[in-house]
Amino acid sequence: MKLFRSIDAGACQSLLSICEIQERLAGDVLYREGEASRGLYMVLRGGVKLTQRKSQNEFLLGCPSEIIGMPAVLHGPCHRHTATVMVRSLFAYINRADCLNFLRDHPKAAEAIAASSDLQLHAQESAA
């Protein structure tokens, strides 16, 4: 994953220690719009579709190396989209508290994660 190559070895080891690897099937919902954030998902294999009920927008951002759910982890309290698994996929899940602690302790890694996350979704929303 490109993210792991862009952070130092200590931060990488810390990040790996808080990841929980999860395999999900097509149709599984990672989180729903309006739901409180429990954590974020790094897509290792597969894909995720993000949809928004009120605008009926659909974004296909969840391809390998994307990070899904970062805005709600950082700004909370709730997700602005529903994330649905498109095909059998593999994720590294990090719960919210561990993620926030990691970002606080590793500011340079936080920049790399932000660059890989779905924060660019806001730009797409603005354009729509």
Side-chain angles (χ1 to χ4, degrees):
M1 187 172 189
K2 183 176 147 183
L3 169 65
F4 293 109
R5 292 189 302 264
S6 64
I7 61 177
D8 69 63
C12 188
Q13 191 61 36
S14 292
L15 184 60
L16 289 172
S17 74
I18 60 173
C19 290
E20 174 189 324
I21 303 302
Q22 297 182 355
E23 185 172 36
R24 298 294 189 93
L25 301 176
D28 285 355
V29 175
L30 300 178
Y31 55 80
R32 296 187 188 284
E33 181 179 345
E35 207 173 68
S37 173
R38 296 182 314 270
L40 61 82
Y41 296 84
M42 293 186 284
V43 183
L44 303 175
R45 182 183 69 226
V48 176
K49 173 176 64 175
L50 300 180
T51 56
Q52 190 173 42
R53 212 175 25 238
K54 58 185 161 187
S55 67
Q56 297 181 354
N57 286 337
E58 188 172 288
F59 305 95
L60 302 178
L61 288 180
C63 50
S65 81
E66 293 276 357
I67 298 176
I68 307 298
M70 181 64 86
V73 166
L74 292 177
H75 307 293
C78 299
H79 291 287
R80 297 178 59 196
H81 302 87
T82 296
T84 306
V85 178
M86 295 170 56
V87 296
R88 188 175 187 164
S89 300
L90 191 64
F91 301 94
Y93 171 76
I94 304 173
N95 77 51
R96 188 171 191 263
D98 287 343
C99 181
L100 292 172
N101 288 334
F102 174 82
L103 296 173
R104 182 197 64 224
D105 295 343
H106 301 280
K108 290 190 184 220
E111 291 175 23
I113 289 172
S116 297
S117 75
D118 59 359
L119 293 174
Q120 67 267 30
L121 181 61
H122 297 295
Q124 287 184 340
E125 287 177 327
S126 299

